[in-house]
Amino acid sequence: KVTEEMKDEL
Amino acid sequence: MNIFRFAGDMSHVVSILVLLLRLRSSKSAVGISLKTQELFLIVFVTRYLDLFTTFYSLYNSFMKVAYIASTTYIIWMIRFQEPYKSKYDASQDSFLHIKFAVAPCAGLALFACLVKGELSPIDILWTFSIFLEALAIVPQLFVLQRYREVENLTGHYVFFLGAYRGLYILNWVYRSYYEQFYRHNWLVYVSGAVQTALYVDFFYYYVVSKYYGGKLTLPT
């Protein structure tokens, strides 16, 4: 899913 | 998680601890930009809304809460607690009105999300926080420039914040090499690069002053 990119970073 | 990202996060934590130490030890917020802290709080609150929607890890959630709580505490100290409150001089921290940082970032985020077709408020606010974070340090750098002679712990604070951003760039390089399903986000890269570039000048004078063992003084 495109919106998940890099969103695990703080 | 990789070593660069972890080291970056730890550097960020150290910077916040150094700032708290700096406030407590000197019993004043002279040389510290309240505006930068408020911008960081806006960044954290808008970016970490996914605390309510997505669980990544205990580490991730803990850090998010810690950043929001510690920044809120710092702002509360400077705004409402003595002796910080009466010693705080807003006229020294006049650069970049918050709305002039927030409005362009909001416009840009809205535009970027429209182009990408990401229309959920959480996505738009996340993108907004990415842009705003790049600008958040500007008032602090401006305050340093005003006083020219940078107090030791304040210098360390900005150094660790800059190190955190630098390490995040290494983290992105690492991730794009070693993570098979890694998705590049160029907006994050560009604002991350801009943000790191803002620290370069400070880093130069910081390293030179440490090398020669002198005081950290910025040129006019």
Side-chain angles (χ1 to χ4, degrees):
Chain A
K1 202 174 146 233
V2 184
T3 52
E4 296 305 321
E5 58 198 359
M6 297 173 117
K7 288 183 181 170
D8 57 338
E9 291 180 357
L10 288 164
Chain B
M1 179 58 71
N2 59 62
I3 184 69
F4 300 111
R5 178 141 61 121
F6 185 68
D9 290 345
M10 288 306 111
S11 185
H12 194 179
V13 170
V14 168
S15 78
I16 294 172
L17 292 177
V18 167
L19 177 55
L20 282 166
L21 187 69
R22 154 67 177 76
L23 289 168
R24 290 210 168 271
S25 65
S26 67
K27 297 198 167 34
S28 109
V30 174
I32 300 297
S33 167
L34 176 62
K35 238 169 234 176
T36 283
Q37 298 306 315
E38 289 175 338
L39 287 169
F40 275 136
L41 184 61
I42 299 173
V43 167
F44 295 145
V45 169
T46 50
R47 186 174 308 165
Y48 298 159
L49 286 171
D50 61 0
L51 269 171
F52 301 105
T53 59
T54 321
F55 179 78
Y56 297 101
S57 65
L58 211 56
Y59 168 82
N60 187 282
S61 302
F62 177 81
M63 296 296 259
K64 285 173 173 169
V65 174
Y67 290 157
I68 293 173
S70 56
T71 308
T72 307
Y73 177 62
I74 289 163
I75 293 169
W76 173 78
M77 268 172 105
I78 301 175
R79 270 190 179 269
F80 304 110
Q81 207 187 28
E82 294 298 351
Y84 312 98
K85 182 185 154 193
S86 50
K87 282 193 195 165
Y88 174 69
D89 182 4
S91 69
Q92 292 299 301
D93 190 15
S94 57
F95 189 70
L96 192 68
H97 199 292
I98 291 206
K99 63 176 175 260
F100 293 131
V102 167
C105 291
L108 213 56
L110 205 58
F111 176 72
C113 286
L114 280 173
V115 169
K116 290 177 100 180
E118 293 174 359
L119 295 170
S120 84
I122 286 196
D123 286 335
I124 296 168
L125 287 170
W126 184 85
T127 310
F128 163 75
S129 80
I130 294 293
F131 294 145
L132 191 67
E133 190 182 359
L135 292 183
I137 195 62
V138 171
Q140 179 62 64
L141 294 174
F142 194 76
V143 170
L144 294 186
Q145 190 67 51
R146 279 215 167 166
Y147 288 96
R148 288 198 53 229
E149 196 168 282
V150 181
E151 189 264 342
N152 236 332
L153 286 170
T154 310
H156 296 330
Y157 166 66
V158 179
F159 171 79
F160 280 111
L161 262 185
Y164 147 62
R165 294 315 307 178
L167 286 160
Y168 254 63
I169 291 184
L170 297 179
N171 150 60
W172 296 330
V173 174
Y174 183 95
R175 292 189 81 174
S176 56
Y177 267 104
Y178 294 105
E179 284 183 28
Q180 206 186 342
F181 299 106
Y182 187 63
R183 276 178 175 282
H184 297 279
N185 184 328
W186 294 100
L187 294 175
V188 175
Y189 291 160
V190 171
S191 48
V194 169
Q195 195 180 348
T196 313
L198 289 172
Y199 289 92
V200 169
D201 189 56
F202 171 84
F203 258 64
Y204 172 77
Y205 293 105
Y206 182 87
V207 169
V208 167
S209 80
K210 292 291 164 262
Y211 184 79
Y212 292 108
K215 276 194 174 255
L216 173 51
T217 340
L218 302 174
T220 40

